[in-house]
Amino acid sequence: MATQAMSEKLQQDIDIQFEGKSAKLPLHRGTEGEVGIDIAKLRSSTGLVTFDPGYGNTGACKSAITYIDGDNGILRYRGYPIEELAEKSSFLEVAWLLLNGELPTKTELSSFSAEIKQHTMLHEDFKRFFGALPKDAHPMPVCAATVGALATYYQDPESERQIHSSVIRLLAKMPTIAACSYKHCIGQPFMYPRNELDYTSNFVNMLFATPCEDYPIDPVAARAIDLLLILHADHEQNCSTSTVRLVGSSQAPLFASISAGISALWGSLHGGANQKVIEMLEHIAREDGSVDKYVARAKDKNDTARLMGFGHRIYKNYDPRAAVLKKTCAEVISRLGKSSKLLEIAMRLEEIALKDEYFVSRKLYPNVDFYSGVIFNALGIPTNMFTVLFTMGRLPGWIAHWLEMRRDPDFRIGRPRQIYTGANKRPYVSIDRRG
Ligand code: SDX
């Protein structure tokens, strides 16, 4: 069972005085030393609310799942450095770690894998569901809709046992849903899951195989995708995870909460950035490879272009996931014997940006999306599927946060405040007296 978030309440408080009212606000220190002001009593004591658009300074919860130190480029899942998990672990093992708080024993991992294999198929009626969707639909809303529709097939009230079944069904069916969302848009028949294959190889087979012949799975490709899933598995309170928590806080079922998370991840400023990175690199390649021109556009306030895959709300240093991916990129591309043109453009972009005052002064570094798209592209993953693979990777993280929130003894529905800037009280004017 996952360990509950541990924190200590500090001896000292923060005093706030305002218009004759005051509050002593307690301080909590996390296990890595970061301190948060507990403002639970702020409004009732002083009438004040906080104002923090984008929640850049606001801790929404205590969590024991993932730790990020953005200034030093540190990322750990349940205390284990991402670099070690990337090198030594597997995606299913990382999923177990995120969900249960500890690395699994051999027996735990093999029964987890066996249980997942029993639930990889979708109800046959989903063929009609996919058939009703336009062929040119982006796979992300297809995945969000399909995950939401799982709640129509599994309608039992959410007991702990039922929640466990929903967790297994989500992890088991996500690769099948992802592959079907792609097969649907290219008009190829859906491939059934194959239980003799491991989790990631099964996905590769469903994505690329056809019923006409066996599909030889390239172990280099399967391992690269498994690594990408590990690197995307969790990232504390990012936009889509916060969405899953907020939706789940109303007691909405797990499938509905995850469906909302998929929709949030689709945004181009979030998970959708990996697709935009490739489109940016391909644009530069078509243009004449002029990286300098694109960097100038990204700096120009009058130009909407951004250096996609660069910058991060938390990392003000190199995203450790990007560092792992940059190293993996070169290995995968050379072992697959693919063209490294997009990688060369990406590395040239990085080289220029990291010396440019605009990016240096704003602490903009490559993030996870900068190199992941280059690997996906080299693996032959269709561009509009990049964010779907991000979804597959992030799924165990979303579920772990949803479970942690639901099991928190201080759990309550999320309902932020606001500062009202609208009209003051005014009387109704009948339509024949309006201008
Ligand atoms: C992910 O939160 C997570 O953990 C997310 C994620 C995860 O694993 O869940 O890590 C995954 O979403 C990674 C981020 C992917 N998005 C992109 O690569 C899109 C490009 N990056 C940006 O749009 C931006 O950097 C964000 C959205 C990532 C962060 O936005 P912030 O923190 O709100 O920063 P900002 O937009 O206020 O930017 C600060 C300044 C601004 O300039 P000034 O107003 O100070 O002059 O930096 C500039 C921005 O214009 N800027 C960029 C830029 N990113 C920020 N300028 C050019 N190119 C960029 N990429």
Side-chain angles (χ1 to χ4, degrees):
M1 174 64 76
T3 46
Q4 268 306 326
M6 301 295 291
S7 67
E8 59 161 336
K9 196 169 162 210
L10 301 192
Q11 292 306 316
Q12 71 187 89
D13 295 331
I14 295 273
D15 286 323
I16 286 210
Q17 280 89 28
F18 179 70
E19 293 182 348
K21 295 177 186 165
S22 67
K24 286 190 173 305
L25 302 179
L27 295 168
H28 298 270
R29 187 198 307 278
T31 48
E32 286 290 340
E34 74 284 12
V35 177
I37 305 171
D38 182 338
I39 57 171
K41 299 271 188 286
L42 176 67
R43 190 169 183 277
S44 57
S45 308
T46 66
L48 294 170
V49 294
T50 58
F51 179 60
D52 185 20
Y55 308 115
N57 303 281
T58 297
C61 62
K62 291 178 179 176
S63 178
I65 298 170
T66 289
Y67 173 68
I68 299 175
D69 175 342
D71 295 325
N72 296 301
I74 291 172
L75 170 60
R76 300 186 198 128
Y77 297 160
R78 299 287 187 179
Y80 295 97
I82 192 66
E83 295 82 0
E84 283 198 69
L85 293 171
E87 187 191 335
K88 300 169 185 167
S89 190
S90 68
F91 176 63
L92 268 198
E93 180 175 82
V94 165
W96 173 280
L97 170 66
L98 289 169
L99 290 168
N100 297 287
E102 302 296 338
L103 288 169
T105 63
K106 264 191 194 156
T107 311
E108 286 168 335
L109 185 57
S110 69
S111 46
F112 183 53
S113 174
E115 192 178 10
I116 282 176
K117 286 185 184 217
Q118 295 314 308
H119 294 276
T120 50
M121 282 204 293
L122 286 173
H123 191 291
E124 277 298 287
D125 285 354
F126 266 108
K127 285 184 176 174
R128 290 190 292 120
F129 179 85
F130 286 113
L133 301 175
K135 285 270 183 251
D136 58 352
H138 192 288
M140 281 298 278
V142 174
C143 289
T146 310
V147 169
L150 289 176
T152 66
Y153 284 81
Y154 307 106
Q155 301 175 20
D156 302 355
E158 287 201 325
S159 63
E160 268 303 316
R161 191 187 60 74
Q162 182 54 36
I163 286 175
H164 173 75
S165 302
S166 299
V167 169
I168 294 295
R169 282 178 170 134
L170 272 168
L171 290 168
K173 297 179 193 304
M174 196 69 240
T176 313
I177 291 168
C180 287
S181 70
Y182 175 60
K183 289 295 196 188
H184 170 67
C185 75
I186 59 172
Q188 280 191 2
F190 299 140
M191 294 302 292
Y192 286 100
R194 303 287 314 179
N195 286 346
E196 76 275 14
L197 298 174
D198 65 63
Y199 189 87
T200 305
S201 301
N202 179 41
F203 168 67
V204 172
N205 189 62
M206 290 189 288
L207 190 69
F208 291 123
T210 68
C212 313
E213 57 193 11
D214 285 343
Y215 178 80
I217 292 176
D218 182 333
V220 173
R223 173 59 193 144
I225 291 175
D226 201 72
L227 168 65
L228 282 153
L229 296 178
I230 290 172
L231 293 172
H232 286 83
D234 193 52
H235 216 238
E236 52 132 287
Q237 306 307 320
N238 59 85
C239 176
S240 53
T241 301
S242 300
T243 301
V244 169
R245 278 179 170 260
L246 189 59
V247 171
S249 75
S250 73
Q251 299 275 15
L254 181 59
F255 295 132
S257 306
I258 299 298
S259 174
I262 297 172
S263 296
L265 187 69
W266 188 21
S268 61
L269 294 185
H270 191 11
N274 54 21
Q275 177 173 342
K276 297 293 177 194
V277 167
I278 279 298
E279 289 166 2
M280 170 183 75
L281 296 176
E282 286 171 339
H283 168 81
I284 294 169
R286 275 196 310 276
E287 287 284 288
D288 63 11
S290 160
V291 174
D292 299 288
K293 201 171 11 172
Y294 199 87
V295 170
R297 286 191 56 198
K299 291 159 59 177
D300 180 356
K301 287 299 168 202
N302 300 317
D303 192 322
T304 54
R306 283 202 155 189
L307 198 46
M308 297 312 278
F310 252 73
H312 200 279
R313 174 64 57 79
I314 306 286
Y315 289 121
K316 300 309 169 190
N317 200 320
Y318 214 100
D319 181 334
R321 301 167 296 178
V324 174
L325 286 170
K326 181 178 178 182
K327 193 164 68 68
T328 309
C329 250
E331 284 164 21
V332 168
I333 285 173
S334 65
R335 288 182 68 181
L336 292 176
K338 296 288 174 85
S339 149
S340 60
K341 183 162 183 56
L342 296 183
L343 176 59
E344 284 156 17
I345 293 174
M347 293 173 84
R348 180 98 181 88
L349 265 176
E350 175 189 338
E351 185 192 340
I352 291 175
L354 295 189
K355 292 178 191 152
D356 186 299
E357 189 277 335
Y358 174 93
F359 296 93
V360 173
S361 63
R362 291 169 177 79
K363 298 185 178 180
L364 303 176
Y365 290 86
N367 60 50
V368 66
D369 292 316
F370 191 64
Y371 286 105
S372 60
V374 177
I375 298 185
F376 285 143
N377 178 270
L379 292 169
I381 304 283
T383 305
N384 67 355
M385 286 292 290
F386 289 4
T387 313
V388 172
L389 271 88
F390 194 149
T391 299
M392 280 173 55
R394 188 52 51 88
L395 182 59
W398 284 334
I399 297 172
H401 281 275
W402 189 92
L403 292 172
E404 184 180 63
M405 174 202 58
R406 282 293 185 87
R407 293 168 178 160
D408 181 344
D410 299 328
F411 160 71
R412 54 198 303 233
I413 186 170
R415 204 279 185 213
R417 291 279 180 168
Q418 63 169 20
I419 290 179
Y420 175 68
T421 57
N424 299 113
K425 185 178 177 183
R426 52 185 173 163
Y428 181 82
V429 177
S430 63
I431 192 158
D432 51 16
R433 293 181 51 221
R434 294 173 204 159

